[in-house]
Amino acid sequence: MLDSSRHFQTIDEVKRFVDRLAAHKMNVFHWHLTDGHGWRFESKKYPNLTQHGAWRIQPGYPEKGKTEKYGGFYTQEEMHDVVAYAKARGVTVVPEIDMPGHCYALVSSYPERGCLGIEQRVDYVYTYPADAQRFPTHPGTDVLCVGQDETVKMCKEILDEVLEIFPSKFIHIGGDEVQKKWWKGCKVCQAHKKKHGLKDEHELQSWFIKELDSYLTKKGRRMVGWDEILEGGLAKNATVMSWQGERGGIRAAKMGHDVVMSPQTYIYLDHGQSRMARS
Ligand SMILES: [Zn+2]
């Protein structure tokens, strides 16, 4: 998995990453294309996602007199190119569009899609690992207002564009670290919860994920999400990536679901690998 949101890589760098995967006989490239810190997937339908959401003011830049914004995005043509490049090396690209949390960049580009409906900046991050800090770092919400029909429609329309570029069977929709407090304080989300007979915010998240699951299933694809999608009830055809440890993966497997074990403790290779690595 490569995170192109928190830090942006050029297409040449992405291809070099694919070369490394192939050299190690790894045949799946999980491409984390969107997050709070920058939206990297070009959508023709929602151009503001990249015109606005792909760029942020990096901490330290104004102090150093730098006026340019940090960021970038991949055009649809470039992503097609990466898919073909990977395919020629036996690698399948699985895109991740993270929803309904980790959506700072999206909500910043389309404020009406958040529960607050206010203007907010794209979030920023410090450099790893020395100044890593908890996300998000900017005031505002990084959670989508899932109670609005318009929000669900937008998510599906973005996925339509994703499916056209990425032929992979599996499509990752994120689903991790959703701060449900925003839904608790949102009239629209509360009304939606009531309408659908959902007992709490976990069930509201589950309702949203199930919408995406059945949408992708209808299109002949399979949905993957991080292990938080177990909360409030797991969608019928979902595959779970267990990042918070092994428990979620084991639970999902026992329920008969496919699982990708990715516990951060052992296999997040960007974490400090020893005490020395942090000094
Ligand atoms: Zn809401």
Side-chain angles (χ1 to χ4, degrees):
M1 190 261 236
L2 180 67
D3 179 354
S4 296
S5 174
R6 275 64 173 268
H7 298 283
F8 181 73
Q9 302 88 22
T10 64
I11 287 291
D12 282 347
E13 286 166 332
V14 172
K15 285 182 174 173
R16 223 160 62 214
F17 186 78
V18 171
D19 289 340
R20 299 288 185 274
L21 290 178
H24 289 92
K25 300 197 185 301
M26 292 188 184
N27 60 4
V28 176
F29 167 31
H30 170 179
W31 200 4
H32 189 76
L33 284 163
T34 72
D35 215 299
H37 318 290
W39 187 277
R40 310 298 176 208
F41 176 88
E42 181 196 35
S43 162
K44 308 265 192 205
K45 180 110 199 187
Y46 298 98
N48 215 31
L49 287 171
T50 47
Q51 276 166 19
H52 173 86
W55 308 95
R56 67 181 184 235
I57 296 165
Q58 194 74 343
Y61 273 28
E63 290 83 343
K64 287 177 196 150
K66 286 191 186 180
T67 51
E68 79 269 27
K69 287 191 170 179
Y70 175 92
F73 64 92
Y74 308 114
T75 65
Q76 297 207 349
E77 204 179 319
E78 285 172 331
M79 290 183 286
H80 272 299
D81 182 35
V82 168
V83 168
Y85 185 89
K87 190 180 175 202
R89 286 153 185 80
V91 177
T92 303
V93 186
V94 173
E96 179 185 354
I97 305 295
D98 207 342
M99 302 179 280
H102 285 254
C103 281
Y104 239 90
L106 189 159
V107 176
S108 171
S109 309
Y110 293 92
E112 64 277 20
R113 296 283 74 83
C115 291
L116 298 175
I118 55 162
E119 294 280 317
Q120 56 187 62
R121 285 164 65 178
V122 180
D123 204 12
Y124 57 64
V125 282
Y126 289 100
T127 46
Y128 283 105
D131 299 319
Q133 58 167 262
R134 269 204 81 71
F135 315 128
T137 48
H138 270 192
T141 174
D142 69 340
V143 178
L144 297 180
C145 185
V146 295
Q148 299 177 38
D149 293 343
E150 201 52 41
T151 302
V152 178
K153 183 170 162 260
M154 180 182 186
C155 293
K156 290 177 180 173
E157 284 173 347
I158 291 169
L159 284 175
D160 284 342
E161 292 189 77
V162 170
L163 299 187
E164 269 187 34
I165 295 164
F166 298 96
S168 60
K169 187 84 182 164
F170 289 94
I171 302 292
H172 205 308
I173 54 78
D176 56 317
E177 297 184 307
V178 182
Q179 299 181 59
K180 302 185 178 90
K181 67 175 180 185
W182 298 109
W183 293 340
K184 269 192 180 152
C186 172
K187 275 188 195 143
V188 180
C189 286
Q190 289 305 312
H192 189 80
K193 208 175 84 179
K194 209 165 161 190
K195 184 176 151 199
H196 290 270
L198 308 168
K199 80 172 190 296
D200 56 22
E201 281 65 33
H202 294 306
E203 288 197 0
L204 180 57
Q205 148 130 337
S206 173
W207 173 88
F208 173 78
I209 300 290
K210 282 173 183 164
E211 277 289 304
L212 301 184
D213 180 41
S214 57
Y215 191 72
L216 289 171
T217 302
K218 258 188 260 156
K219 305 258 173 180
R221 308 296 184 97
R222 294 187 59 193
M223 189 196 77
V224 193
W226 299 109
D227 54 62
E228 285 95 331
I229 64 171
L230 281 153
E231 296 162 7
L234 188 55
K236 205 164 67 185
N237 305 304
T239 292
V240 172
M241 274 187 80
S242 192
W243 76 277
Q244 297 183 101
E246 290 144 76
R247 263 216 312 244
I250 293 167
R251 210 175 117 209
K254 282 188 173 157
M255 289 160 72
H257 288 254
D258 284 334
V259 165
V260 179
M261 293 309 279
S262 48
Q264 58 167 338
T265 328
Y266 311 115
I267 58 172
Y268 273 36
L269 303 180
D270 61 332
H271 285 190
Q273 299 298 301
S274 72
R275 284 180 199 284
M276 293 289 285
R278 289 210 162 262
S279 62

